Amino acid sequence: MLFLKVKLFDLDIGVNAVVINEEDLKGTPYYPQDRVLVETPAGSFVGVLHSTKTLVNKGEIGIFREITKEIPIKDGDEAIIRHAETPLSVAYIRKKMDGQTLKPEEIHTIIDEMVTGKLSNIENTAFVTSLYINGMDMKEIEEMTRRMAETGDMIDWDESLVVDVHSIGGVPGNKTALLVVPIVAAAGLTIPKTSSRAITSAAGTADVVEVLTRVDLSLDEIKQVVTTTNGCMVWGGAIDLAPADDITINIERPLSIDPEPLLLSSVMAKKIAAGIKYLVIDIPTGEGAKVKTIDEAASLARKFIELGGRVNVHIECAITYGGQPIGRAIGPALEAREALIALENYKEAPSSLIEKAVSLAGVLLEIGGVAPPKKGKDVAEEILTSGKALEKMHEIITAQGGEPKSSDEIEIGEYKAEIIAPIDGYVTQISNKLITKVAKEAGAPKDKKAGVLLNVKIGNEVEKGDLLYTIYSSSEERLNSAVKLARRTYPIKVEGMLLKRISKF
């Protein structure tokens, strides 16, 4: 064992990480990445060992202040370091790495130990990677989904008809929830929408809504808002819904992977925890989307529907066009403004946004019994065009702690740059990936006023010098960087009718 003094740091480098000077480790049986039990007068915890030459002095142990939220450790406290037992999950993770099927209790143990911080970042990453390579059968996915939901908060509504809509993402500008929620709530259905912040996109739904109102509501506040207005649009990260999902997302993001078992369980675990009984899942499909073909989308839809049946959530899937951005706005403030424009006067909003929003809302209205079969879209359009959806949106904004604004009151970046067509021709491609990169380079989503406003869509005819899109930012430096990226990568491709000339010589 080692006897050291505590030094606290306001840093976060991993799950329960502790740092010891490498001189203190010489001649001991302790090595970097070992799991150690740290005993202090205030309490004990298991941490993952890191070594350093300079971060802490000899005789000290660096502990990160995040741990003090649960254990009141103080600077200078005596600490005893001992070996900790290897979690049971490590053997189960290795089993999945070998391509074997996990038993229910093994899956439960992995999720439990992940959430309680008993697994290191390396072990969590190994599990996520094993799912990417070897997958899971539906029984395994069901067990993982249930356990992910059970390890966090669970919302219990007084009624059985609770609906929601969820998009698997992958397409920029997807602000449809800001129309669907008020339309459905105005029809009298309960729709408690919990959303994420941006993971790889330029704006998550929570980032967009936060331009208009608070999204970091407590569980009690969410219930009060929904009781008052029938709906809400809040950030799921502010409450403890399916906490294992946040851990796996932080692994998926830098690896740019999205294992299907986690895609399925991530969506369903959070909906189970949120008390959702009826769910419409939007699967954008096309070049540049997560799902490339209709066949792939149909296969994923069948899996969602099967998983929903296993966990008692009625699911319908909508395969939607995802080959280019939805609407014209990309970035939190720009998307919030475009959503308000659609609610204020739908004729001034992009048709792709209106079409998708009323189609998805219509499915929910039919499921909820407030619209006859095949008439849901018509009912949704009537609620939108009558102003009822805008009125409901204002109610939700107010109930969540915001003040309703008109679309022309939404502030966007003060610095802007226009990107023009280099030649006469037609817009043949808008890269979802590249246009997102440009918006992020401009500062989105952290800079809520940053983003991209499209002036063209695929198929539009343009002349040399015509405006293709405008980049906005609150920082002149970030804007210049985004412009350089845009000019280097060409997110919007303009071509003439002659695509290629081939001759004999």
Side-chain angles (χ1 to χ4, degrees):
M1 69 181 71
L2 289 174
F3 296 87
L4 304 167
K5 286 192 178 294
V6 170
K7 181 177 181 181
L8 295 177
F9 291 100
D10 286 316
L11 296 172
D12 182 9
I13 64 168
V15 179
N16 289 1
V18 296
V19 182
I20 297 176
N21 191 288
E22 62 181 29
E23 291 296 321
D24 286 319
L25 297 178
K26 289 180 179 179
T28 74
Y30 301 102
Y31 301 92
Q33 296 302 321
D34 276 357
R35 186 174 279 98
V36 293
L37 175 65
V38 182
E39 299 177 339
T40 75
S44 304
F45 67 93
V46 174
V48 176
L49 177 60
H50 298 259
S51 66
T52 179
K53 291 181 179 179
T54 58
L55 194 58
V56 297
N57 296 321
K58 188 176 179 181
E60 294 180 333
I61 177 171
I63 295 176
F64 297 88
R65 207 172 293 274
E66 182 74 18
I67 292 171
T68 65
K69 293 179 180 178
E70 298 181 7
I71 305 172
I73 301 171
K74 300 188 296 295
D75 270 317
D77 279 354
E78 299 282 348
I80 300 174
I81 311 304
R82 307 178 192 270
H83 272 298
E85 293 184 1
T86 300
L88 295 172
S89 295
V90 173
Y92 306 149
I93 293 170
R94 190 177 301 116
K95 183 177 176 181
K96 178 50 69 175
M97 290 172 70
D98 290 336
Q100 300 180 50
T101 300
L102 297 179
K103 298 176 182 178
E105 59 269 23
E106 294 171 339
I107 294 171
H108 295 177
T109 300
I110 292 173
I111 299 303
D112 290 350
E113 293 188 340
M114 181 184 291
V115 171
T116 55
K118 291 183 179 179
L119 298 181
S120 68
N121 284 340
I122 290 175
E123 289 155 350
N124 287 330
T125 301
F127 178 60
V128 171
T129 306
S130 73
L131 299 186
Y132 178 72
I133 296 171
N134 295 317
M136 278 182 160
D137 63 31
M138 190 54 73
K139 178 60 178 174
E140 289 178 290
I141 295 172
E142 177 191 349
E143 292 296 338
M144 183 163 67
T145 300
R146 290 185 184 277
R147 201 59 175 181
M148 287 174 73
E150 292 166 353
T151 52
D153 291 332
M154 302 278 282
I155 304 176
D156 184 23
W157 302 100
D158 293 333
E159 55 187 285
S160 59
L161 192 59
V162 181
V163 305
D164 199 2
V165 62
H166 177 86
S167 174
I168 68 166
V171 181
N174 194 4
K175 75 284 293 178
T176 50
L178 278 75
L179 278 66
V180 174
V181 171
I183 288 172
V184 173
L189 296 179
T190 300
I191 180 165
K193 176 69 179 164
T194 58
S195 304
S196 63
R197 295 193 184 278
I199 300 172
T200 58
S201 68
T205 298
D207 299 310
V208 178
V209 176
E210 195 170 39
V211 174
L212 306 173
T213 189
R214 277 185 60 210
V215 295
D216 57 340
L217 275 64
S218 68
L219 210 53
D220 288 341
E221 288 174 322
I222 290 172
K223 289 183 176 180
Q224 181 58 45
V225 170
V226 174
T227 299
T228 304
T229 69
N230 294 336
C232 69
M233 290 176 283
V234 300
W235 175 45
I239 48 180
D240 196 30
L241 298 182
D245 183 49
D246 295 325
I247 296 170
T248 59
I249 283 173
N250 287 331
I251 295 167
E252 294 169 333
R253 183 189 295 118
L255 294 175
S256 297
I257 60 175
D258 194 5
E260 189 174 87
L262 285 175
L263 171 61
L264 292 163
S265 60
S266 169
V267 173
M268 295 307 300
K270 289 205 167 183
K271 298 310 173 185
I272 293 169
I276 305 303
K277 300 300 182 185
Y278 296 86
L279 176 65
V280 171
I281 295 179
D282 167 30
I283 305 177
T285 304
E287 184 179 353
K290 285 183 181 179
V291 180
K292 310 301 180 188
T293 68
I294 295 293
D295 287 345
E296 290 176 15
S299 174
L300 181 60
R302 286 191 291 271
K303 291 174 183 177
F304 267 120
I305 290 168
E306 181 184 348
L307 180 57
R310 286 170 175 262
V311 298
N312 299 317
V313 178
H314 176 87
I315 290 179
E316 292 198 26
C317 294
I319 299 174
T320 59
Y321 175 64
Q324 64 177 329
I326 300 162
R328 298 181 180 274
I330 303 159
L334 288 164
E335 292 189 38
R337 185 177 71 172
E338 187 169 80
L340 287 179
I341 290 171
L343 291 166
E344 291 166 354
N345 185 352
Y346 74 100
K347 291 182 179 179
E348 294 184 4
S351 59
S352 60
L353 173 60
I354 298 297
E355 172 72 17
K356 182 167 183 174
V358 297
S359 295
L360 294 174
V363 176
L364 286 173
L365 297 182
E366 291 178 23
I367 290 173
V370 295
K374 299 184 180 181
K375 294 294 183 180
K377 183 180 176 183
D378 294 340
V379 175
E381 284 180 346
E382 191 279 326
I383 293 172
L384 176 64
T385 58
S386 68
K388 294 176 184 176
L390 177 62
E391 182 180 348
K392 180 58 67 175
M393 182 64 153
H394 287 168
E395 289 178 18
I396 293 171
I397 288 171
T398 302
Q400 290 186 199
E403 184 176 335
K405 297 178 181 178
S406 63
S407 58
D408 57 12
E409 292 179 289
I410 304 299
E411 296 182 7
I412 56 178
E414 61 177 306
Y415 299 100
K416 68 177 183 178
E418 296 181 342
I419 306 298
I420 60 174
I423 60 172
D424 295 345
Y426 296 85
V427 177
T428 59
Q429 182 184 41
I430 299 178
S431 169
N432 288 334
K433 182 178 180 179
L434 293 178
I435 205 71
T436 295
K437 283 187 175 181
V438 170
K440 291 174 72 174
E441 191 66 26
K446 187 175 181 180
D447 174 7
K448 287 189 164 43
K449 299 177 183 179
V452 171
L453 186 64
L454 302 176
N455 196 56
V456 295
K457 301 300 286 283
I458 293 175
N460 288 170
E461 182 178 4
V462 295
E463 296 180 358
K464 182 178 179 179
D466 282 354
L467 177 63
L468 297 179
Y469 59 98
T470 306
I471 308 171
Y472 293 88
S473 181
S474 298
S475 162
E476 189 172 14
E477 181 181 356
R478 293 300 298 255
L479 177 67
N480 291 335
S481 182
V483 169
K484 289 179 182 178
L485 177 63
R487 289 174 175 163
R488 188 171 70 248
T489 59
Y490 294 101
I492 297 183
K493 186 180 291 186
V494 177
E495 296 178 301
M497 291 304 293
L498 179 62
L499 300 180
K500 189 173 184 179
R501 179 177 174 179
I502 299 175
S503 61
K504 182 177 180 181
F505 301 104

